[in-house]
C-alpha cells in the first residue's frame, strides 16, 4: 500500500482513491517536511494535542460568540504556556504545536512573540533588552507593535503620532494629536498587551527627525487597567481572525524616560543630540523575513483548502457522465478538475517557493554578517513581488476550492470561509499589494538598465540578460517533456523581459514628453505592476522546477506531473502576453491547452493521495468536508445540531415577535 | 450645482469632488431609477425609515451575536408586517423598504414571500391555493421551499426523499430514507416556517414518477413545536446572511392528504392514476425570472461596494506623487483608478443588463400567454450564462473594492466583508455556475448548427450568423469613438463565434474519435464554458451600449465614457482570445490599453458623482468608510467603541487565564 491513510470504516470512495496512488505518499510527506524525524515529531505533537483534554472543545468553536471564543483560546493559551517546555524542544515545533491547538484562530499572543520581542531584540540598546526581554519571555510584559495609524498604513513617513524630547526631564512626551493619528490595527494591543513599541515622529527642539520606535507601558501590572493618558481598546470584528484583539491606542502626552526609545541604531543623547542610524536599509532584513515566512504560511493554508476540496470532491457523487451508470464522483468532471487540480499544483509551487526564499534569506543574512549587503536588494524586490502574487492567488485558489464544494462550501462547517478570510488578509498586511508590486517594479527598471549595460545580474533577474529568441519553440519537442517544459519557461522569460522593457520604455517616453519622474511613474504603474507579476510568477515556476529536479527518484514522476500542470496552467493564464508580440502562435497556445487537459487526467488517480501527503490533521483542517475518513454527511448533521439556534425547538425571538403577527392574522380570518 | 449631495460639514475632499461633476447627477439617478416619481418615492421611504424609532439600532448590529441579531430583525419584521400597508403601495416599493430596513441581512421572511408563495400559486390546484394562499399572505402559514438535500443540489433527478402513495387512506407518506436525504439549506425552514413545499420522488405502486412537490406542515399552529415525524432545525453559521435560518428537515413517514400534492401540472387520482404534466419546460419561467432578478440584485450590491470604495478613496490621503506637494487622495493613483473605475463601469453594465433581461422576460411571458414558447430557450440560455458571469465578476469586483480600502476594508466597519459574502453566494445558489455555463453551452452548440444551416437566429445569438471579418478594424477610426467602439464590439462578436465553433469542433472530433456523447462532452467542458462566458459578456456589452444610445442627451457624454471604459477593460481582459487567431494584433491591444488609460483619466473628476447617482442611503450602505459626508475617521472610532470587547476595560477572560501566567512568572523573577 503506497498511501497509509486508509482505515476501516472510511468512506469507500476515499479508500478507492487511496488505492490508486502511484507513488509513496509517505515519502512525499517526508520530502515536504524535510526529514522522517520531522514528520515523526510533528505527528507526536498531533497525538499529544489530540490526547490532552485541556485542548478539547465541548462544541465546535464556530458556534461561539466572539468573546466566548476568545475565552476558550485564552484558557488554552495559559495551559500551553505553562506546559510548553514539556511539549516542544524548538521554535519550529512550537509553531506546529500552536497551529495544531489554535488552527486559523492563531496563537493568542502571536504578535507579542513574533513581532514585539524580535523588534525589541533587534532595535533596543542592550540595557533595555536586559531589562525587558526576560519579562517579555515570561509574559509579565506582553507587547504590541504599534506602528499603523488610522490615517496611515503604507506611508509611514507621514505618521502623526509625536515623541517630543523634553530635555528638562530627560523624557519623551508621546502624543496623539488628531483622531486619525490614533494607532489602529496592531494585534494583541486591544486587550492583551500591557506594553507597546510605538512608532512616532521624533521631535527635538522643533526639528522632526522622522519616525522612531519607543517603548510605552499601556496598562499597569497589578490590575491591567490603562495607565494615565492611555486610551486603548479593541477595534471590533473583522473578516476573519476575530479571536485576535487588534486594537486602537490614543496617547495623551504620555511621558517615558529617554532610554525607552529603541536606540540600537538611531540615538538621542541627554543633551538632545541626535545620531542617525548608519545604514538606512537595516530594516530590510526583518521585512524580508516576515514576507518570506508569509509565503510559506499562505502555502500551508492553501494546502488545507485543497485537501478539503479534493477529499470532498471524491466523496460527493452528483450527476452522471454516462446516463446508464450511477452518479459519479464530482472529481471526474473536467470542470471540477480544472477548478481544483491547478490549486493543488499552486500549493506545491508556493510551498517550494517558500522553502527556496527562506534559504535565500539565510544566505543573505550570512552575507550581511560578513558586511555583504549585495544580496538584499534582490531579495527585497523578490519577496515584495512574491508576497503580492502568492497572497492574491492563494486567496483566489481558496475561493475556487470553496466554490468547488458547492453549497456546503458556503457553510462554516467546511472551514473554507474562515480560511479565505485569513488568506486574503495577506493582500493587505505587511505591505499593500499594489505598493509591493511597485517596489518590485523599481528594481526591475534597474535590471533593464543593468542588462542594457551588460552588468552582472543578481539571482532573480538573471533572465533579463539572456538572449531573446524571436519565436517560441513550444511544441517542437513533442515527446520530450523536459525540453518542452524548458521551452515554455524560456517563453515566459521572454515575456517577463518584454514586459519589463516595455514598461521601462513607456516610462522613458513620458519623461521625454516632459512629465516629472513622479508623474511619469504614476502614469505607467499598471504596466509596471504587470511586469512585476510576470517576474514573480517566473520565479515561482523556476523554484518549483528546481525542487522537482532535486526530488527523490521515486517522487520524480508525480512531481513532474504536478509541475507540468502548474507550468501549463500559468502559461495559458498568461497567454495574452505570450501571443502579444507573435512570440507564440495560437496553435502553440492550443497545444498548451491540450497538454494541460492531459495533465489533469494524469493527476486524477493521485489527487487524493497528493493532498494526503500534506499530512494535515482533522483538527487542523477543522472541516466537516475535509475529514480524513470522508464520512461527511453524518458529520455535517452532528455539526449543525450544535447551532446555537437549536438549543430550543422554538426560538425565544419567534415567540416574542413573529408569533404575534401570526396570531393577529388568525384572529382576522 | 450639478451634484446636490453637498452639505455643510462634509469632508472637504468629497465636496471638492462633487464640484467637479460634469453632468447632472440627479438626472442620472432618475435615468437609473426609471422616473422622477420613483426617485421621490424611494427617498420618501428612506425618510420614513430614518424617522421611525422602531427601525433604529441602539448599537451597530455588527456587534451582536447571531441570535441577538435575529431577534432585532424579527422585531423589525413584525413591526414592518403590521405597518406595511401604511408604508408602501406596491411590490417594488416593498422591496425598497425591506432593503432599507434590513440591508444585507435581508428580509427575515424572504423565502416565504419570494419562493414559497409563488410556487404555491403557480403549481398548486385552485382549491389548495384558495385554502393556503390567504393564510400564507397573512403569515399564519409561513412556508419554506424544501428542494435541496444534503446529498443533492444540482442533480434533482436523484433526490432521495420519497412520497409514496397509499391508496387505502388516499394519502402520501413522505419519508427521508437516508442521512444524505435530509433536506438541507432551504431558507426560513430552520426556525421560522410552519410549512414547507417538499420535493420528493413520487412512488405509486412501486413505480417512481420522479420528483414532485408536496405541501407538508412542519410545526403546529399553537406552540410552533415540530409535528410528529418532523425533525427540523438550523444548519449553523455561514459565510454571510446569518440572520437567515437556513434549515434542515428529516421526515419520518409523515402522512399528508393526497390533495396536498401540488397538482396544477402533474396529477395523481384517487385510484393512483398518474397524469404527467403537458409541457416539461413549464418551470423554465420561474427559474428564468429568479435569475433575471438576481442580475439586478447583484448589480445593486456592487453599486454599494463601489460607492464605499470610491468615496473612501477620495477622502483617504496617503503618499505623494510630487514629493513637494501634500499627500494625495489615493483616487489619484493610476493603480487605484484601475482597481475601482472598471468596477463602477461594471455596476452600470450589470444594472442595465438586469433591466434589459427583465424586459426580455416580460416579452417572453407575454408570448407564452399567446402560446408562443420560442423565446424561452434563448432567454433560458442567456440568463444561465449571465447569472454565472455576473455573480462571479461582481464578487471579484466587490473584493477589488474591499482591497482598495486597504486595512480598513478588512474591518466589518467597512461593510465590505459582508457584502462580499452575500454577493459571492450567487455563484452557488440558483444553479451552480459551472453547471449554468454548460446549459448555456448546449444552446450555443445548437446556435452553431443553426448558423451553419442558415436558420433564423434568436435575439441573443444573432451574432452567430454575422459574416466573419478576417482582421479587426480596431484603431482604424481614431477620433470617431462610436465607430471605434463598434469595431471593438465586432471583434468581440468574432471571438464569441470563434470560441463557440472551436468548442463545437472539439466536441465533434471526440465523437468522431469514438467517444460517447456524454464522454465527449465531459472532455470539452472547459472549452464549452469559455465560449459561454464570452457569449454572456458580449450580451452585457451590447445591453450597456443600447442603454447608452437611449439615454437623455445630457447624460450621453458621461455614460459613453463609462461604456468605453467597460468595453476597453473587457477587451483587454479577453485579449488572449482576440490575439489567438491573429484577428487582432499586439499593436491593437496596446492601443486598447492606452485608450483604457485615457478613459480612466476622463472618469476621474466624475467618479464620486457617478456613485452618488446610485442614491444609496448611509443606512443601506452600512459602512463607516462609504458615508455621504466622508467623515470617516471619527465614525470609525465611534463604531469601534461599541465592540463587545470594550464593555469592560479588562476582559474577564484576561483575568481568568492570562493574568495567571503573568503572576506566576512575576513570582519567579
Amino acid at each position: 500500500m503506497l498511501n497509509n491513510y486508509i482505515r476501516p470504516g472510511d468512506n469507500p470512495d476515499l479508500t478507492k482513491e487511496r488505492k490508486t496512488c502511484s507513488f509513496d505518499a509517505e515519502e512525499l510527506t517526508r520530502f515536504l517536511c524535510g526529514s522522517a524525524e520531522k514528520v515523526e515529531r510533528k505527528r507526536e505533537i498531533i497525538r499529544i494535542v489530540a490526547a490532552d483534554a485541556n485542548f478539547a472543545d465541548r462544541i465546535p468553536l464556530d458556534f461561539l460568540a466572539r468573546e466566548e471564543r476568545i475565552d476558550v483560546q485564552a484558557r488554552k493559551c495559559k495551559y500551553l504556556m505553562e506546559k510548553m517546555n514539556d511539549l516542544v524542544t524548538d521554535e519550529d515545533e512550537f509553531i506546529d504545536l500552536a497551529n495544531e491547538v489554535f488552527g486559523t484562530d492563531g496563537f493568542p499572543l502571536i504578535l507579542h512573540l513574533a513581532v514585539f520581542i524580535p523588534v525589541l531584540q533587534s532595535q533596543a540598546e542592550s540595557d533595555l533588552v536586559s531589562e525587558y526581554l526576560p519579562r517579555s519571555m515570561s509574559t509579565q510584559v506582553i507587547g504590541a507593535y504599534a506602528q499603523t495609524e488610522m490615517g496611515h498604513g503604507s506611508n509611514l513617513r507621514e505618521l502623526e503620532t509625536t515623541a517630543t524630547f523634553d530635555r528638562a526631564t530627560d523624557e519623551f512626551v508621546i502624543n496623539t494629536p488628531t483622531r486619525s493619528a490614533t494607532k489602529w490595527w496592531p494585534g494583541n494591543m486591544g486587550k492583551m498587551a500591557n506594553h507597546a513599541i510605538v512608532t512616532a515622529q521624533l521631535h527635538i527642539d522643533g526639528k522632526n527627525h522622522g519616525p522612531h520606535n519607543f517603548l510605552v507601558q499601556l496598562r499597569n501590572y497589578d490590575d491591567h487597567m490603562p495607565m494615565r493618558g492611555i486610551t486603548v481598546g479593541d477595534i471590533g470584528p473583522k473578516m476573519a481572525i476575530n479571536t485576535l484583539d487588534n486594537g486602537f491606542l490614543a496617547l495623551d502626552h504620555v511621558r517615558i524616560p529617554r532610554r525607552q526609545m529603541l536606540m540600537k541604531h538611531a540615538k538621542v543623547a541627554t543633551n538632545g543630540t541626535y545620531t542617525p542610524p548608519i545604514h538606512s536599509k537595516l530594516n530590510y532584513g526583518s521585512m524580508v523575513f516576515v514576507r518570506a515566512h508569509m509565503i510559506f504560511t499562505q502555502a500551508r493554508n492553501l494546502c488545507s483548502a485543497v485537501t478539503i476540496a479534493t477529499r470532498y470532491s471524491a466523496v460527493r457523487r452528483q450527476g452522471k457522465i454516462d446516463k446508464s451508470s450511477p452518479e459519479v464522483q464530482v472529481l471526474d468532471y473536467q470542470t471540477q478538475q480544472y477548478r481544483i487540480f491547478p490549486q493543488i499544483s499552486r500549493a506545491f509551487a508556493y510551498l517550494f517557493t517558500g522553502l527556496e526564499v527562506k534559504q535565500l534569506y539565510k544566505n543573505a543574512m550570512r552575507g550581511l554578517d560578513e558586511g555583504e549587503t549585495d544580496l538584499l536588494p534582490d531579495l527585497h524586490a523578490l519577496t515584495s513581488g512574491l508576497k503580492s502574487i502568492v497572497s492574491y492567488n492563494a486567496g483566489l485558489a481558496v475561493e475556487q476550492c470553496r466554490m468547488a464544494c458547492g453549497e456546503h462550501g458556503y457553510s462554516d462547517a467546511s472551514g473554507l470561509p474562515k480560511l479565505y478570510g485569513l488568506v486574503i488578509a495577506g493582500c493587505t498586511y505587511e505591505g499593500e499589494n499594489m505598493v509591493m508590486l511597485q517596489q518590485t517594479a523599481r528594481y526591475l527598471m534597474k535590471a533593464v538598465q543593468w542588462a542594457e549595460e551588460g552588468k552582472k545580474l543578481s539571482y532573480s533577474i538573471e533572465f533579463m540578460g539572456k538572449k531573446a529568441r524571436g519565436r517560441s519553440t513550444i511544441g517542437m519537442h513533442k515527446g520530450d517533456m523536459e525540453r518542452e517544459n524548458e521551452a515554455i519557461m524560456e517563453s515566459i522569460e521572454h515575456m517577463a523581459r518584454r514586459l519589463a522593457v516595455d514598461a521601462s520604455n513607456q516610462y522613458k517616453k513620458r519623461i521625454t514628453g516632459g512629465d516629472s519622474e513622479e508623474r511619469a511613474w504614476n502614469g505607467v504603474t499598471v504596466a509596471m505592476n504587470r511586469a512585476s507579476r510576470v517576474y514573480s510568477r517566473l520565479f515561482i515556476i523556476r523554484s518549483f522546477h528546481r525542487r522537482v529536479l532535486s526530488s527523490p527518484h521515486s517522487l520524480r514522476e508525480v512531481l513532474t506531473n504536478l509541475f507540468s500542470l502548474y507550468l501549463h496552467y500559468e502559461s495559458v493564464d498568461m497567454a495574452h502576453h505570450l501571443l502579444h508580440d507573435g512570440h507564440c502562435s495560437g496553435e502553440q497556445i492550443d497545444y498548451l491547452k491540450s497538454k494541460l487537459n492531459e495533465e489533469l487526467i494524469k493527476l486524477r488517480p493521485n489527487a487524493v493521495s497528493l493532498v494526503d501527503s500534506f499530512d494535515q490533521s482533522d483538527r487542523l483542517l477543522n472541516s466537516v468536508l475535509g475529514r480524513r475518513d470522508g464520512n461527511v454527511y453524518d458529520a455535517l448533521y452532528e455539526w449543525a445540531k450544535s447551532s446555537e439556534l437549536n438549543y430550543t425547538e422554538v426560538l425565544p425571538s419567534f415567540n416574542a415577535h413573529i408569533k404575534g403577527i401570526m396570531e393577529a392574522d388568525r384572529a382576522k380570518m
Side-chain angles (χ1 to χ4, degrees), chain A:
Chain A
M1 197 69 59
L2 294 166
N3 181 330
N4 61 13
Y5 264 70
I6 298 172
R7 301 276 180 285
D10 286 356
N11 185 308
D13 279 330
L14 271 187
T15 301
K16 189 195 79 178
E17 295 295 329
R18 285 167 177 145
K19 285 184 172 164
T20 60
C21 179
S22 76
F23 63 98
D24 185 340
E26 185 68 14
E27 181 158 14
L28 182 51
T29 303
R30 287 195 293 269
F31 182 64
L32 290 171
C33 212
S35 71
E37 293 68 40
K38 284 192 180 169
V39 174
E40 238 352 279
R41 196 55 200 125
K42 207 187 92 179
R43 288 186 183 155
E44 204 176 314
I45 288 169
I46 292 173
R47 280 192 297 270
I48 290 169
V49 173
D52 192 329
N54 288 292
F55 294 132
D57 298 314
R58 207 172 38 80
I59 59 163
L61 300 187
D62 305 301
F63 301 107
L64 301 186
R66 187 169 172 220
E67 211 176 326
E68 295 167 338
R69 191 163 176 151
I70 288 174
D71 186 68
V72 168
Q73 302 295 37
R75 179 180 55 70
K76 290 181 201 161
C77 176
K78 178 185 185 220
Y79 180 76
L80 188 140
M81 297 292 279
E82 287 166 352
K83 300 278 174 181
M84 194 161 59
N85 295 337
D86 307 339
L87 298 177
V88 296
T89 58
D90 66 17
E91 202 181 291
D92 281 349
E93 286 185 13
F94 177 74
I95 291 171
D96 280 339
L97 175 64
N99 280 340
E100 193 65 18
V101 172
F102 299 104
T104 53
D105 278 358
F107 183 64
L109 293 173
I110 182 71
L111 277 298
H112 169 66
L113 292 185
V115 181
F116 176 83
I117 290 179
V119 170
L120 185 73
Q121 283 177 302
S122 63
Q123 295 183 13
E125 277 186 314
S126 56
D127 67 328
L128 203 68
V129 175
S130 313
E131 185 178 347
Y132 281 93
L133 189 60
R135 297 189 199 176
S136 300
M137 298 300 278
S138 70
T139 61
Q140 182 193 18
V141 163
I142 299 175
Y145 183 62
Q147 181 178 284
T148 309
E149 295 172 0
M150 200 189 255
H152 285 89
S154 297
N155 188 21
L156 300 179
R157 267 171 296 192
E158 299 292 326
L159 289 175
E160 296 178 82
T161 305
T162 53
T164 308
F165 183 58
D166 181 348
R167 193 178 285 104
T169 59
D170 202 32
E171 287 174 324
F172 292 106
V173 183
I174 318 280
N175 192 46
T176 303
T178 64
R179 176 54 49 78
S180 57
T182 312
K183 294 289 175 186
W184 208 265
W185 277 106
N188 285 162
M189 191 175 74
K191 308 304 282 188
M192 283 284 206
N194 53 17
H195 284 72
I197 292 169
V198 174
T199 311
Q201 302 287 352
L202 169 62
H203 288 268
I204 307 174
D205 300 332
K207 183 172 178 346
N208 182 0
H209 294 274
H212 289 72
N213 282 335
F214 303 85
L215 180 66
V216 180
Q217 183 166 4
L218 306 183
R219 293 169 179 269
N220 71 50
Y221 291 114
D222 294 321
D223 61 7
H224 204 60
M225 288 294 284
M227 308 291 283
R228 205 157 67 94
I230 299 285
T231 308
V232 66
D234 170 76
I235 63 163
K238 298 142 290 185
M239 196 162 178
I241 332 177
N242 276 308
T243 47
L244 186 64
D245 58 327
N246 297 86
F248 63 79
L249 168 66
L251 303 109
D252 182 9
H253 299 90
V254 173
R255 289 181 164 268
I256 59 168
R258 184 180 53 84
R259 61 187 291 275
Q260 283 183 215
M261 174 171 154
L262 304 197
M263 292 200 277
K264 187 163 179 180
H265 306 307
K267 289 183 210 308
V268 175
T270 325
N271 64 3
T273 310
Y274 174 74
T275 315
I278 310 157
H279 197 303
S280 68
K281 306 271 168 177
L282 276 170
N283 279 334
Y284 261 26
S286 69
M287 287 194 306
V288 165
F289 174 77
V290 172
R291 288 176 198 149
H293 193 78
M294 262 184 79
I295 294 163
F296 198 72
T297 311
Q298 298 281 54
R300 287 286 295 269
N301 285 322
L302 180 52
C303 290
S304 297
V306 298
T307 302
I308 295 166
T310 306
R311 287 181 181 163
Y312 178 62
S313 299
V315 161
R316 179 77 168 179
R317 288 182 172 270
Q318 189 88 172
K320 297 178 176 187
I321 294 175
D322 292 324
K323 273 176 195 140
S324 54
S325 310
E327 289 196 296
V328 299
Q329 297 167 287
V330 295
L331 205 53
D332 286 333
Y333 290 110
Q334 190 188 46
T335 46
Q336 190 79 350
Q337 294 173 6
Y338 198 76
R339 210 164 201 176
I340 297 176
F341 294 175
Q343 320 314 335
I344 299 180
S345 73
R346 271 180 172 161
F348 277 91
Y350 298 166
L351 276 180
F352 291 147
T353 303
L355 292 171
E356 176 140 342
V357 172
K358 278 187 182 179
Q359 190 55 50
L360 289 178
Y361 174 78
K362 275 185 199 162
N363 298 348
M365 288 304 109
R366 215 166 24 230
L368 207 58
D369 286 344
E370 294 155 17
E372 167 75 65
T373 58
D374 287 8
L375 293 172
L376 274 179
D378 196 62
L379 193 56
H380 178 251
L382 185 62
T383 48
S384 301
L386 289 175
K387 180 269 184 199
S388 164
I389 288 297
V390 169
S391 59
Y392 186 59
N393 286 309
L396 287 183
V398 172
E399 273 297 77
Q400 285 302 319
C401 290
R402 191 184 63 69
M403 290 191 254
C405 295
E407 71 273 36
H408 299 319
Y410 195 75
S411 167
D412 283 356
S414 72
L416 292 165
K418 278 223 168 49
L419 212 44
Y420 176 68
L422 180 66
V423 168
I424 204 68
C427 293
T428 309
Y429 66 72
E430 294 301 334
E432 199 280 325
N433 276 359
M434 294 298 130
V435 178
M436 289 296 94
L437 289 170
Q438 287 181 57
Q439 293 190 2
T440 305
R442 288 193 189 276
Y443 181 70
L444 276 182
M445 293 308 101
K446 287 182 196 158
V448 169
Q449 182 81 19
W450 295 332
E452 276 172 14
E453 295 165 0
K455 286 194 179 153
K456 189 177 174 309
L457 299 166
S458 319
Y459 188 65
S460 83
I461 48 171
E462 267 177 0
F463 71 94
M464 289 294 300
K466 283 198 194 171
K467 275 252 163 50
R469 197 196 290 267
R471 295 236 164 207
S472 169
T473 59
I474 289 172
M476 293 184 184
H477 312 285
K478 288 177 189 170
D480 183 344
M481 181 184 279
E482 197 45 52
R483 284 187 70 186
E484 265 303 319
N485 285 349
E486 192 55 45
I488 301 172
M489 287 186 277
E490 281 175 7
S491 288
I492 294 173
E493 286 181 344
H494 166 86
M495 169 171 66
R497 269 194 305 275
R498 185 178 63 73
L499 287 172
V501 171
D502 180 56
S504 166
N505 289 341
Q506 285 189 39
Y507 174 71
K508 284 178 195 160
K509 197 173 149 198
R510 281 177 180 263
I511 297 282
T512 315
D515 266 2
S516 69
E517 284 185 17
E518 296 91 347
R519 294 263 148 212
W521 183 268
N522 189 42
V524 297
T525 40
V526 169
M528 289 286 172
N529 287 2
R530 201 174 276 136
S532 297
R533 284 192 190 95
V534 175
Y535 153 83
S536 307
R537 290 168 82 168
L538 169 64
F539 185 85
I540 297 171
I541 288 168
R542 284 287 185 196
S543 300
F544 196 163
H545 188 231
R546 279 187 287 269
R547 195 59 57 153
V548 173
L549 293 181
S550 75
S551 65
H553 184 73
S554 62
L555 297 176
R556 201 64 64 86
E557 192 180 337
V558 68
L559 288 178
T560 301
N561 175 204
L562 265 176
F563 170 67
S564 289
L565 172 57
Y566 184 70
L567 181 62
H568 285 75
Y569 184 79
E570 287 286 288
S571 314
V572 170
D573 197 45
M574 297 187 276
H576 159 189
H577 304 305
L578 289 171
L579 288 161
H580 188 277
D581 61 345
H583 179 72
C584 285
S585 66
E587 290 71 32
Q588 286 175 312
I589 302 298
D590 283 339
Y591 180 67
L592 292 174
K593 287 178 187 167
S594 70
K595 296 300 287 181
L596 174 54
N597 282 346
E598 288 174 24
E599 299 295 340
L600 294 177
I601 292 166
K602 212 187 286 177
L603 194 135
R604 172 68 187 85
N606 283 325
V608 167
S609 299
L610 281 168
V611 300
D612 283 348
S613 75
F614 297 137
D615 200 40
Q616 289 176 303
S617 72
D618 279 354
R619 179 184 175 107
L620 182 75
L621 291 175
N622 191 28
S623 167
V624 162
L625 305 184
R627 302 162 61 90
R628 187 205 56 73
D629 68 10
N631 295 323
V632 300
Y633 294 128
D634 283 336
L636 189 56
Y637 192 77
E638 282 309 308
W639 183 87
K641 283 203 297 188
S642 298
S643 171
E644 60 273 47
L645 302 194
N646 297 330
Y647 293 165
T648 56
E649 281 286 3
V650 180
L651 279 187
S653 71
F654 185 90
N655 283 330
H657 309 299
I658 305 299
K659 192 132 185 64
I661 45 174
M662 295 174 73
E663 282 166 356
D665 287 312
R666 286 177 79 186
K668 257 191 277 172
M669 286 181 71

